[in-house]
Amino acid sequence: MTTSEMNLSASLHYITFPSLHETPLVIAARLRIPSHVEGKMPAVILLHGSAGPSAREGGYADAFNAAGFVTLEPDLWAARGLAGGAGGRPKSVQETLPDLYGARAFLAAHPKVDAARIGVAGFSFGGAAAMLAATRGHNDVFLPGGAFRAIMPVYPSAWIFNCVPGFEFGNLVDAPLLLVTGALDQYDNDPEISAKLVAALDESDRAKIRIEVMAEAHHGFDMPGVDVEVSDPFGNQGKGGRVIMRYNPAATEKAHSNAVAFFTAAMAER
């Protein structure tokens, strides 16, 4: 049993929900509901990266649950029979968006969740999905006239946006976005990559985004125990090659704190 499974501040439920594909996939997920809060609560969906579900999502869930948020951690790979990693993930980020919006629909119908206060945080591959969900072009296919209340992509390989076809980023939904990157992330190989991306946007879109560059932080800085090198064709701004993933406990603690503060402010009842 993991530390997050023993979390006494929330009840743990293993559930499934349908994706919004034409032929729905059955997506398994961990749902955690704070035990110390009465009434309907805000919720955050936590999207894993290429490696699949990990202790990273549970760490953020612990912080969110303690702050009174429901959390949902979908396993996007199991329904597809994928093993994870650079060779075991879906062919595109876009094909997982029906999973994300299926997760939102599940939460919106849950009796303990305030349907008007549902956000998403994604990491790496999941971070790229969160970035796309921030655009009207993708969001309005699944949620016309609506949007996630707040969006937090964490090291989403920011270099691909407005550079690789299919990753157009602009015309954003009316929601705040906290873009978190690592200064040492070798997917981007540029600690200023997020600032450059945002600077090129229209003024109305720039106003919705806050940037946080984590010092001394590699890709996967918030994955406990991780210290590996992987090979990924998306690494080094698409040149491929080796990418370091290394846990940084100080950066992780700061990221958890920032995440809770960001979503708490964004989801304050109106």
Side-chain angles (χ1 to χ4, degrees):
M1 183 175 289
T2 67
T3 300
S4 60
E5 286 175 323
M6 295 173 63
N7 179 10
L8 299 181
S9 68
S11 59
L12 172 64
H13 311 264
Y14 290 93
I15 61 91
T16 61
F17 63 85
S19 72
L20 299 189
H21 292 91
E22 184 174 347
T23 301
L25 298 173
V26 178
I27 308 298
R30 297 201 322 172
L31 172 70
R32 297 186 0 187
I33 302 173
S35 306
H36 60 289
V37 181
E38 296 183 1
K40 290 181 178 288
M41 291 168 269
V44 178
I45 300 165
L46 300 167
L47 296 179
H48 63 73
S50 291
S54 72
R56 168 184 53 204
E57 294 81 59
Y60 282 90
D62 284 343
F64 280 124
N65 298 153
F69 289 81
V70 172
T71 54
L72 186 68
E73 304 168 59
D75 181 349
L76 307 186
W77 285 193
R80 297 171 168 82
L82 297 174
R89 61 193 175 199
K91 293 181 180 179
S92 73
V93 174
Q94 290 80 358
E95 69 185 85
T96 66
L97 292 179
D99 305 45
L100 170 57
Y101 285 90
R104 189 191 182 284
F106 169 83
L107 286 174
H110 196 282
K112 295 297 288 184
V113 173
D114 181 347
R117 295 190 291 157
I118 300 173
V120 57
F123 311 92
S124 193
F125 190 104
M131 289 282 280
L132 294 180
T135 69
R136 283 288 177 201
H138 288 286
N139 176 83
D140 290 0
V141 173
F142 303 98
L143 197 63
F148 285 98
R149 183 69 170 264
I151 301 168
M152 187 180 79
V154 182
Y155 43 80
S157 296
W159 73 268
I160 67 176
F161 293 95
N162 293 335
C163 178
V164 175
F167 290 91
E168 290 75 24
F169 186 71
N171 188 22
L172 303 184
V173 299
D174 186 19
L177 185 146
L178 174 60
L179 175 54
V180 182
T181 56
L184 304 180
D185 191 326
Q186 291 173 295
Y187 279 92
D188 291 326
N189 268 346
D190 182 356
E192 300 298 321
I193 194 73
S194 54
K196 293 174 182 176
L197 171 65
V198 174
L201 299 176
D202 290 341
E203 182 178 357
S204 60
D205 286 337
R206 291 199 305 270
K208 299 171 183 176
I209 302 174
R210 192 179 110 208
I211 294 169
E212 182 74 39
V213 181
M214 307 301 290
E216 301 300 321
H218 289 83
H219 200 83
F221 68 81
D222 47 4
M223 299 180 73
V226 170
D227 190 357
V228 298
E229 287 191 12
V230 301
S231 180
D232 192 325
F234 276 93
N236 299 290
Q237 295 197 13
K239 299 180 179 67
R242 308 296 288 179
V243 174
I244 293 172
M245 296 188 181
R246 181 169 295 151
Y247 178 54
N248 182 321
T252 298
E253 182 177 358
K254 182 179 180 181
H256 288 175
S257 177
N258 287 350
V260 170
F262 168 68
F263 281 98
T264 298
M267 295 193 185
E269 292 190 72
R270 297 170 180 168

